[in-house]
Amino acid sequence: MNPAITKTELLSLLEKYGLSPNKKLGQNFLVDENVVRKIILFSQVEGKEVVEIGAGPGTLTVYLAKTAQKVFAVEIDKKILNVLKEVCQVISNVQIVNSDFLELNVKDLTNGNKVYIVGNLPYYVTSQILFKLFEERECIEKFTIMVQKEVAQRLLAKPGTKEYGNLTVAMNFYCEIEDYFYVSKNVFYPKPEVDSAVLRARFKIEKPNVDEKNFFKIVHACFSTRRKTILNALSNQLDIAKDELKKIIHMAGLDENLRAEDLSLDDYIRLYQCFEEEFFKS
């Protein structure tokens, strides 16, 4: 089994193939072996099938392969594939997949087997990837993701804080965050402008009994204009008379002057149930 590649070796490989990190793809490569080891241990992937999002030059892939049963190393950048192939050339349990994860059918890739997801998510597609994970949850056991610190703070946010938003509600709806830790920007090449965080989450066995499309329609409507009250935000987004909206909000036991960030997941579920009773079943 290959040892992990060092920063010096990574730079040498990039130079060999005439490559440099692609800013458009948000490429910041992890080059600290201690942090890599910590992520692998934290991810709990021993003996599991793993889909790695954004394998890049294989820094994390090599360590995943030492622990996991099999690694599907997904990488969108065709140019970096030569490095990834060289790094993984003698590793038998790595399957390199040149694809955009957002367009990948995880169930088909893994023949329906339950997998663990591990990945360092590019900032510009973090939300899209998270919602993709939510969609593919039936074949995902757990996921460990590295995201920018501010994104982690949104995922971990509590009601009543400025970080609390659509993404927070969705994360709470589908998942339970088991643990997290922060990572310094100094352990990447090139060094990003902000620190990162690694989070491990699992999907809830029983999620709320709601029509997801209509539930998130209500959530998105409330957050559409954060500075407005939920009454005014809903009024702007839904073709329902304000008096009717006020009635529904009160039925849910909520104050019409609350703002979207003030509502917990349970509050949104009650609000949805009142909408369902009055409108969605009619």
Side-chain angles (χ1 to χ4, degrees):
M1 193 73 73
N2 276 0
I5 55 174
T6 64
K7 181 179 179 181
T8 301
E9 289 168 336
L10 172 60
L11 294 177
S12 178
L13 282 167
L14 292 176
E15 184 179 0
K16 175 179 177 179
Y17 291 101
L19 300 175
S20 58
N22 188 324
K23 289 183 179 181
K24 289 183 179 180
L25 294 177
Q27 290 179 343
N28 298 97
F29 302 134
L30 190 58
V31 291
D32 187 294
E33 188 175 355
N34 290 329
V35 175
V36 172
R37 288 179 182 274
K38 185 175 182 180
I39 292 172
I40 299 302
L41 184 63
F42 181 81
S43 301
Q44 302 179 335
V45 296
E46 185 173 0
K48 305 293 184 179
E49 287 195 359
V50 176
V51 175
E52 182 188 4
I53 303 173
T59 310
L60 195 61
T61 315
V62 172
Y63 269 104
L64 284 171
K66 291 180 179 181
T67 307
Q69 177 188 340
K70 182 172 184 178
V71 180
F72 297 92
V74 181
E75 176 53 51
I76 189 175
D77 185 8
K78 291 182 179 179
K79 294 181 178 180
I80 204 73
L81 283 183
N82 288 328
V83 176
L84 182 60
K85 288 175 181 177
E86 179 169 336
V87 168
C88 298
Q89 61 185 333
V90 297
I91 305 178
S92 61
N93 62 335
V94 172
Q95 178 179 330
I96 296 172
V97 182
N98 181 209
S99 175
D100 181 348
F101 180 76
L102 293 175
E103 298 176 1
L104 192 68
N105 186 311
V106 176
K107 187 175 182 179
D108 288 349
L109 177 67
T110 63
N111 294 317
N113 295 334
K114 283 268 190 177
V115 296
Y116 278 45
I117 300 286
V118 178
N120 178 10
L121 308 189
Y123 178 69
Y124 75 104
V125 287
T126 296
S127 294
Q128 294 97 307
I129 289 177
L130 279 168
F131 280 102
K132 167 79 169 174
L133 296 179
F134 300 156
E135 290 172 8
E136 301 260 16
R137 63 189 177 276
E138 288 185 5
C139 59
I140 299 172
E141 204 165 328
K142 286 187 181 182
F143 59 89
T144 299
I145 53 172
M146 184 184 293
V147 297
Q148 285 198 351
K149 187 175 180 179
E150 66 177 67
V151 176
Q153 289 170 337
R154 286 168 59 196
L155 295 173
L156 294 161
K158 302 297 183 185
T161 62
K162 64 178 182 179
E163 292 85 9
Y164 188 82
N166 272 322
L167 193 57
T168 322
V169 176
M171 192 72 173
N172 291 337
F173 182 91
Y174 291 111
C175 307
E176 290 182 7
I177 295 177
E178 294 183 336
D179 204 355
Y180 67 95
F181 64 90
Y182 292 114
V183 178
S184 168
K185 59 187 176 183
N186 296 319
V187 300
F188 295 92
Y189 171 79
K191 185 168 73 173
E193 295 182 1
V194 297
D195 291 334
S196 297
V198 177
L199 300 95
R200 186 182 70 240
R202 65 177 179 85
F203 285 103
K204 293 179 177 178
I205 297 173
E206 293 184 6
K207 62 180 179 61
N209 183 25
V210 301
D211 179 286
E212 291 179 30
K213 182 178 179 182
N214 286 330
F215 174 78
F216 284 106
K217 181 179 180 180
I218 299 302
V219 174
H220 294 325
C222 287
F223 278 103
S224 61
T225 45
R226 289 182 65 111
R227 292 185 179 182
K228 293 189 175 182
T229 64
I230 54 173
L231 175 61
N232 288 332
L234 289 166
S235 178
N236 283 350
Q237 296 294 313
L238 305 178
D239 188 22
I240 300 174
K242 216 165 190 177
D243 287 345
E244 289 293 328
L245 290 172
K246 190 180 294 188
K247 173 185 171 185
I248 292 169
I249 292 169
H250 290 168
M251 282 173 58
L254 299 170
D255 187 324
E256 66 200 61
N257 293 313
L258 290 172
R259 289 176 169 76
E261 64 266 25
D262 296 320
L263 275 61
S264 67
L265 176 61
D266 288 342
D267 291 334
Y268 278 110
I269 291 171
R270 288 202 315 276
L271 185 59
Y272 159 83
Q273 289 169 339
C274 293
F275 268 101
E276 183 182 48
E277 185 177 322
E278 293 296 307
F279 293 101
F280 293 151
K281 287 187 177 180
S282 61

